[in-house]
Amino acid sequence: VVFPTLKNTPHVITIKNSRLLILTIYRNITPAYFSKPIIMGPYYSSCKDSVAALSSAGAIQIVDREHLPGAILDLYENPQKIIEMGMKAKKVIEQNGDALEKNLQMIQRFL
């Protein structure tokens, strides 16, 4: 298995075609919406809240470049973990589905 450097990695990569394991570097919501587990690099200052929610649910793994191959292989070798993390990710999305509406209402109060 060859792993590209993180800076050259696309946002979403399909690793396994039967149970679509998705690796995301920048956007963590897309795989969660599709009930997929998430592996993300340690730099996520623009999405701290969603990472915190996904992390507390056990739906995301934060790994550095050195540990990325091992994290991918761990999921690849454990299909049940793929399913469990994906279900947890989807649940976080469903629980926070009204976040946009709440933010718009908060902004509206200041206009």
Side-chain angles (χ1 to χ4, degrees):
V1 178
V2 177
F3 296 97
T5 60
L6 291 179
K7 67 180 181 180
N8 295 327
T9 305
H11 296 304
V12 178
I13 303 171
T14 302
I15 304 286
K16 188 175 181 183
N17 57 8
S18 63
R19 285 199 177 93
L20 290 182
L21 167 63
I22 295 180
L23 163 71
T24 180
I25 302 302
Y26 301 106
R27 295 188 170 95
N28 56 28
I29 300 300
T30 304
Y33 178 82
F34 291 103
S35 303
K36 305 305 174 199
I38 302 159
I39 300 173
M40 188 171 197
Y43 306 104
Y44 52 87
S45 61
S46 65
C47 54
K48 290 178 187 176
D49 293 337
S50 59
V51 169
L54 291 163
S55 181
S56 68
I60 190 170
Q61 293 181 38
I62 307 300
V63 298
D64 58 19
R65 177 184 293 176
E66 182 180 321
H67 295 97
L68 179 60
I72 294 170
L73 291 174
D74 177 55
L75 286 178
Y76 185 81
E77 293 170 351
N78 296 289
Q80 187 59 36
K81 189 173 181 180
I82 293 171
I83 294 166
E84 290 170 2
M85 285 181 67
M87 288 172 39
K88 291 174 183 177
K90 181 67 171 187
K91 186 175 181 180
V92 169
I93 295 299
E94 290 171 348
Q95 290 172 340
N96 294 286
D98 61 345
L100 175 61
E101 184 62 32
K102 287 180 182 177
N103 284 325
L104 290 173
Q105 289 173 2
M106 184 176 67
I107 292 169
Q108 191 70 25
R109 286 186 272 162
F110 294 101
L111 296 178

